Amino acid sequence: MEFWIIQTLNALSFAMLLFLLCAGLSLIFGLMNILNLAHGSCYLIGAYVAFSVDNWSGNFFLGLLSGAVAAGAVGYILQRFLLRRVYGLRLLQVLLTFGCMFIIGDLAIIIWGADPTTLRKPEWLEGAFNMGGIVFPKYRLFVIAVGLFIGIGLWLFQEKTKWGAILRASVDDEQMARAVGINVPVLFTTVFVLGVALTGLSGVLGGPFVGVYPGVDLDVLLLAVVVIIVGGLGSMKGAFFGSIIVAALDNFGKALFPELAMFTIFAPMAIILALKPTGLWGRVL
Amino acid sequence: MSNRNIKILSFITLVAVFALLPLVLSTYRLGLVTSALILAMLAMSANLLLGYLGLASVGQATFFGVAAYAVAIFTRHWGGASWSAMGVGLLAALATGLVVGPLAIRTRDIFFLVIMLAFCQIFYGVTYRWRSVTGGDDGLPGLARPDLIPGLNLNSPVAFYGLVVLIFLLVIGAFWLLVNSPLGLALKGIKDSETRMRALGYNVWLYKYLTFLISALIGGISGVLHAYFYGCPNPADFSLIHSSSALLMVILGGPGTLFGPLVGSLIIVFVRDIVSSFTDRWLIFLGLAYVCTVLFFPAGLLVTLRKWRKDAR
């Protein structure tokens, strides 16, 4: 029993990390129809900048903030100066974002070196909680809390606020949104930057348990890709439940059949794909 | 001169250039050309899907890597270098296409792209972890090349170059025949409008599947030659760099053209060689090449240059 509770909590903390990672990717795709393959690079930038700031200031939350801001800045440059030129041209977007992924990954090696590191947790999140005999790391509970908090916040924002309504209207019918006076280009840039900043945040939060290393950009991009295949691209619900499914498969797969670790994620992905090519909650394009 | 004659003439010129290169180039440069020809075939396999079905595959390295590993594993376990290993490599690529194809071609556009990316990474992961068979990240070093004809060993760079040129010409010839055949015309129709072709009674799914298989086979040919060229398949064969470079080469040279992939691969291979002679961080330059291609030559180098020449007149 204890095994199952701990593994479930583990899966849940990983799921929340994945959700933060994929929310931005999904939001950007849903609104702009852009698949940002430099998404993993934004995670990497967030994690590395937080690492430097944390080392310099000794303050985890300053690191968290600066990681998100740095990723957002990269996103701004990407959207404002590059992606805007290839709006609607899928293949060119792919090449462009791939190119940026290579550039950012290599720049990170020049700046931070090629050795893997991990981010430090803040002191009060070190150690573990003891909940009636079940010992669980505080930091992972913190990640679950942050993920749920942001998830609920995003949901409330989308469903209950005026800005959310504007966002939904632009996703549904961009032309009409322009016609009723919504400044769509500004909305695009804002959402892009926010989505990418969220990814940077996931990089900082993931830093202490996933680690930061050259190539992490591709690793997390791949996880994000699997989540959006399973959950459906462009849907926030898909990103949320897709993250939970993938995290559960990954976690229980690794715990129960360690030698099949790769297949426990990818085999279900292939099955879902065969049955429903747009993902479980995906929009038909 | 008719269009057909121009094509035949340019083909003959190409053969002549290939024949002269070993006399002009150093062994090292000849190796670069060999490598570019091998990658050009990978780019052609991506071009078939992109230029004729409108599907961008970021996973062509799947077939490339599978074929490379199949050759090395077969050679290792069944004693010595032989031509049959090449056949095994191609069959392995084809078998992978048979399995992956139905899943992949169900999807379109962005979903096709991410699915191929995901499949490629599965193979990367499997080769990386399955140490006992694939050698993990050490790869499988020491792959011996078979005798070209009894007595003439492929270990000589010129002989291997000759083989690659021969196979390249065969592939490009077959490619030309294919895209100008009724099958190729049907593919163009499918690219324009799937619904219309379905209404005309074409089995669209079957055409797509066949094209996917042919693309897998061409990717496999490229992978087999790559394995022999470096003598050591390793997980990097499945890398995103290979898959995405294939697309870059196609875009750079011009999608849907016969020689575009070759032009693209020659540029990338030589630029890579020049850049890596002065820095380890050549991926930055590759990345810049992606960005510049997209910003300045979005329709492909050949097409853009042709347009510039027309504008200048």
Side-chain angles (χ1 to χ4, degrees):
Chain A
M1 194 58 205
E2 201 186 311
F3 168 83
W4 291 100
I5 293 175
I6 288 183
Q7 290 303 330
T8 306
L9 283 172
N10 265 337
L12 204 56
S13 63
F14 189 46
M16 288 305 115
L17 187 67
L18 281 183
F19 171 64
L20 290 178
L21 174 68
C22 300
L25 188 68
S26 209
L27 201 63
I28 291 165
F29 183 82
L31 183 62
M32 284 168 259
N33 221 340
I34 287 177
L35 183 69
N36 174 20
L37 289 169
H39 198 72
S41 311
C42 302
Y43 175 100
L44 179 137
I45 288 289
Y48 268 125
V49 168
F51 174 75
S52 288
V53 171
D54 183 36
N55 272 352
W56 166 75
S57 69
N59 186 334
F60 180 79
F61 286 92
L62 199 60
L64 198 69
L65 194 67
S66 49
V69 170
V74 171
Y76 180 76
I77 295 169
L78 202 63
Q79 201 271 338
R80 187 73 177 65
F81 298 104
L82 297 172
L83 279 170
R84 196 175 261 194
R85 291 163 188 261
V86 289
Y87 191 68
L89 303 165
R90 183 53 52 66
L91 182 68
L92 296 182
Q93 288 171 5
V94 167
L95 281 184
L96 193 64
T97 48
F98 259 140
C100 293
M101 181 177 139
F102 290 147
I103 295 173
I104 294 172
D106 240 22
L107 279 178
I109 293 180
I110 293 175
I111 299 172
W112 287 283
D115 295 328
T117 51
T118 46
L119 273 161
R120 250 198 326 254
K121 300 167 198 167
E123 249 165 55
W124 57 278
L125 288 175
E126 291 284 354
F129 266 125
N130 191 335
M131 299 171 291
I134 293 161
V135 179
F136 195 72
K138 283 180 190 168
Y139 186 76
R140 282 180 175 258
L141 287 176
F142 170 71
V143 172
I144 296 177
V146 173
L148 283 176
F149 179 73
I150 291 181
I152 293 170
L154 276 175
W155 179 75
L156 284 175
F157 173 80
Q158 269 202 331
E159 299 296 323
K160 304 288 173 198
T161 66
K162 184 185 148 203
W163 283 99
I166 290 176
L167 190 63
R168 276 180 291 137
S170 309
V171 170
D172 281 344
D173 192 338
E174 194 203 314
Q175 300 256 307
M176 193 54 89
R178 276 179 201 268
V180 297
I182 294 170
N183 191 341
V184 174
V186 171
L187 184 74
F188 278 8
T189 309
T190 314
V191 168
F192 199 96
V193 170
L194 283 180
V196 166
L198 211 55
T199 313
L201 195 72
S202 76
V204 186
L205 288 175
F209 63 101
V210 179
V212 205
Y213 50 92
V216 76
D217 45 355
L218 184 58
D219 289 357
V220 299
L221 174 69
L222 198 72
L223 276 172
V225 158
V226 175
V227 169
I228 57 175
I229 288 178
V230 170
L233 195 46
S235 135
M236 204 43 93
K237 207 190 206 171
F240 189 80
F241 290 107
S243 300
I244 292 180
I245 294 172
V246 170
L249 287 170
D250 180 64
N251 202 69
F252 285 103
K254 273 182 187 152
L256 300 172
F257 324 99
E259 66 280 11
L260 292 176
M262 291 304 284
F263 282 107
T264 49
I265 302 185
F266 287 107
M269 179 200 82
I271 293 168
I272 288 173
L273 201 64
L275 299 174
K276 209 158 178 294
T278 49
L280 293 175
W281 290 273
R283 294 186 297 136
V284 179
L285 292 174
Chain B
M1 222 178 343
S2 77
N3 203 14
R4 194 190 167 84
N5 284 349
I6 293 178
K7 283 241 160 73
I8 293 172
L9 204 68
S10 56
F11 195 75
I12 293 170
T13 319
L14 192 70
V15 174
V17 170
F18 280 141
L20 286 175
L21 280 181
L23 305 175
V24 194
L25 294 182
S26 64
T27 313
Y28 176 71
R29 289 264 153 74
L30 199 64
L32 288 181
V33 175
T34 311
S35 162
L37 283 171
I38 293 171
L39 289 176
M41 281 183 263
L42 183 65
M44 279 166 74
S45 80
N47 188 21
L48 186 61
L49 293 176
L50 181 65
Y52 298 89
L53 280 184
L55 294 171
S57 161
V58 194
Q60 283 310 102
T62 308
F63 312 115
F64 184 80
V66 163
Y69 268 99
V71 167
I73 292 170
F74 181 81
T75 307
R76 224 156 238 257
H77 292 282
W78 282 271
S82 69
W83 284 97
S84 51
M86 286 196 173
V88 171
L90 297 186
L91 282 179
L94 209 52
T96 311
L98 272 171
V99 177
V100 172
L103 286 172
I105 58 168
R106 268 182 69 105
T107 58
R108 264 189 303 179
D109 199 27
I110 206 79
F111 293 95
F112 180 81
L113 192 143
V114 293
I115 280 149
M116 291 303 291
L117 173 68
F119 276 119
C120 194
Q121 289 295 315
I122 297 178
F123 282 99
Y124 174 82
V126 170
T127 42
Y128 196 84
R129 303 239 169 127
W130 202 5
R131 220 156 221 299
S132 54
V133 175
T134 61
D137 55 351
D138 298 333
L140 294 169
L143 176 64
R145 296 173 186 170
D147 284 348
L148 187 57
I149 37 174
L152 180 54
N153 197 290
L154 278 180
N155 286 329
S156 122
V158 177
F160 190 71
Y161 165 80
L163 177 75
V164 171
V165 166
L166 186 72
I167 293 176
F168 178 79
L169 291 175
L170 285 175
V171 169
I172 209 166
F175 193 94
W176 187 76
L177 285 176
L178 177 81
V179 299
N180 288 296
S181 70
L183 173 71
L185 296 177
L187 292 182
K188 278 174 195 151
I190 291 172
K191 195 188 168 194
D192 286 345
S193 166
E194 231 173 85
T195 337
R196 189 172 60 206
M197 293 305 277
R198 207 169 280 134
L200 286 171
Y202 282 89
N203 186 343
V204 170
W205 184 87
L206 191 66
Y207 276 95
K208 281 183 151 182
Y209 193 30
L210 271 178
T211 313
F212 192 86
L213 287 181
I214 296 169
S215 161
L217 187 68
I218 300 177
I221 295 173
S222 168
V224 167
L225 292 173
H226 176 83
Y228 281 122
F229 184 59
Y230 285 104
C232 175
N234 69 76
D237 290 348
F238 290 104
S239 75
L240 193 58
I241 297 179
H242 272 138
S243 289
S244 61
S245 291
L247 278 183
L248 177 66
M249 289 164 185
V250 174
I251 300 289
L252 202 54
T257 60
L258 196 57
F259 293 107
L262 177 63
V263 174
S265 72
L266 281 170
I267 294 173
I268 298 293
V269 167
F270 275 87
V271 166
R272 178 190 175 151
D273 179 63
I274 294 164
V275 172
S276 35
S277 67
F278 62 84
T279 171
D280 281 343
R281 305 265 68 83
W282 84 277
L283 269 183
I284 288 187
F285 290 85
L286 185 70
L288 285 174
Y290 279 63
V291 174
C292 292
T293 305
V294 169
L295 295 184
F296 305 119
F297 308 103
L301 207 53
L302 291 184
V303 179
T304 310
L305 287 179
R306 208 175 292 156
K307 209 180 116 219
W308 282 357
R309 212 175 54 195
K310 239 180 228 157
D311 289 349
R313 255 180 224 161

